[in-house]
Amino acid sequence: MTDTRRPPACHHDQEAGHRVTREHRDDCPDPSTHNGCVPCTAPHCVLCGRAHADNDHPLTCPECIGKVRVDLDDIRHLCRHLRWQAARGGRDGRLIAAAPIPGGDAMVLIARAGADADDLITSFGPIKGNPKANLLDEDHHPHDVVPPLLPLIGWDYQWRHHFDHHPPAKPSVTGITHYLADHLTRMAQAVDGPDWVRFADDIAALRRQLEGVLHDEREPERGIGCFECGRQLVRKFGDPKPCRHRTPGRVHLDQVKADATAARRRLQVLATYPELGPPTYAEERAARRVPTAAEESRARIPCSECTNQGGIVDPSIGQSWECTGCRKAYTPGEYANAVRSHLLKGGPDGDGWTHITMAAEAATTQTGLPIPASTVRKWMDRGKVAGVCRWTSSIDGRTAVVPQAAPGRAHSVIVAEYAGRVVPAAWGSRLVFWPDVADQAAKMVVRSHDAEVARRLRAEKAALEATGKAS
């Protein structure tokens, strides 16, 4: 009889470094301090490491398969916008087409050089039947972009070789992504096939690269380490939803095109009937009329109702964070808890005391309000947050933490005579207690919200008074 019982729920234990259940071992020293310590022996998904594997999905869970499929669809969608980005995209108020490398990274991504040649180069090492396929590792800089067709055609070759399928006559991004998506379910559970985990990582990295290039070539915002796998968190860019409503700029653009079409038809009529005389200069100029760059730019401006034009999926506090490794999507509460835990365990001594600049950056990320390091120092000086001075001896390396002294004393130097010469005996640095900073930052958010509400009420009251006077 087959055992159909589900394995118990498990979670990742950062201290143990593996997944555990909520049960406690017989030799557990203190069960009240944690949520379980019995290791989970059930097999897990090779991509996320969270979902339990079953008979139908022995390697990859359906959720991760769906995420890889979405990545393939996004790659196909984003590649269609590279030409517009190379010609019309801008960065810092300048056209990328006028950059030292015309078109910038978008033009590099369009390239097909070497994609279907015998000396195919890829980013993951030699492929079957082509030991020279790791040439990219020798001359490729880590920060250089990779044309999408290069890794895609390499993986397409490996999976077609595994399934005994014939390669396409002329590979393309559209054809490869469709092929990979059609066979994704088999690929995700293939035990003896190509490296599935590396394939999924490459597809996700390729999608993030295209998102960065098409969002004015900006790198995604990076956060702390993931709870599950330790990889760095990034903020996900969303797909733009173009505005398709009729705007004044688009009406004008259609009129320009219609006038040019009518002028060309007029020239055709004049060429058929010589008795009407030759066309005038104005008629020839009207036939050659094409929309200017300014007219095309105005036509691309969305209407006031269409506000989602790309960028971060949700720029609110703690939103849109995902892991680059296991692809876990964090909720605002999970991300705030992750930031708090990171600071409590990631300080100089791992006890909640951290550097002022680090606390200021974390408070800014957690609240969404600009909190500079000078504000945190003011909180320390006014006694709103706890602070200490950490003194490190430059002679014997010993460290001493003393209560906070005067603000100027925290950065002073203790001088001593050592080996017949005067040397700094200790250097002082100020530390701040992160829980206090988090509490003060939360109070700042409340004060900012109250001030915004009061300002809006005053504006509404002024508008009502102005309306009453006008009537």
Side-chain angles (χ1 to χ4, degrees), residues 124 173 192 200 283 414 470:
F124 50 82
V173 173
D192 56 346
E283 293 173 335
I414 298 178

Side-chain angles (χ1 to χ4, degrees), residues 47-50 64 67 226 228-229 323-328:
L47 291 186
C48 66
R50 300 189 303 273
C64 288
K67 290 182 179 180
C226 176
E228 300 291 340
C229 64
C323 176
T324 57
C326 65
R327 304 189 182 189
K328 174 180 173 58

Side-chain angles (χ1 to χ4, degrees), residues 2 15 24 51 62 78 140 188 237 240 260 298 357 366 374 444 447 454:
T2 304
E15 296 182 358
H24 297 274
L78 295 172
H140 180 74
F237 286 126
R298 284 196 297 269
T357 55
Q366 190 169 355
S374 58
M444 176 179 287
R447 292 195 299 269

Side-chain angles (χ1 to χ4, degrees), residues 282-316:
E283 293 173 335
E284 293 180 345
R285 182 180 179 181
R288 297 192 303 267
R289 174 79 158 87
V290 294
T292 63
E295 291 171 336
E296 291 182 350
S297 298
R298 284 196 297 269
R300 292 191 178 95
I301 298 176
C303 64
S304 58
E305 298 180 357
C306 298
T307 57
N308 184 8
Q309 299 297 311
I312 297 177
V313 176
D314 188 349
S316 303

Side-chain angles (χ1 to χ4, degrees), residues 335-347 351-367 371 376 379 385-387 431-442:
Y335 184 73
N337 186 30
V339 171
R340 187 181 186 91
S341 177
H342 175 73
L343 287 181
L344 288 175
K345 299 178 181 179
D351 54 0
W353 297 97
T354 185
H355 297 287
I356 296 176
T357 55
M358 185 176 180
E361 293 175 358
T364 300
T365 302
Q366 190 169 355
T367 61
I371 301 179
V376 179
W379 291 344
V385 299
L431 302 180
V432 64
F433 194 52
W434 162 246
D436 292 348
V437 177
D439 293 341
Q440 289 297 323

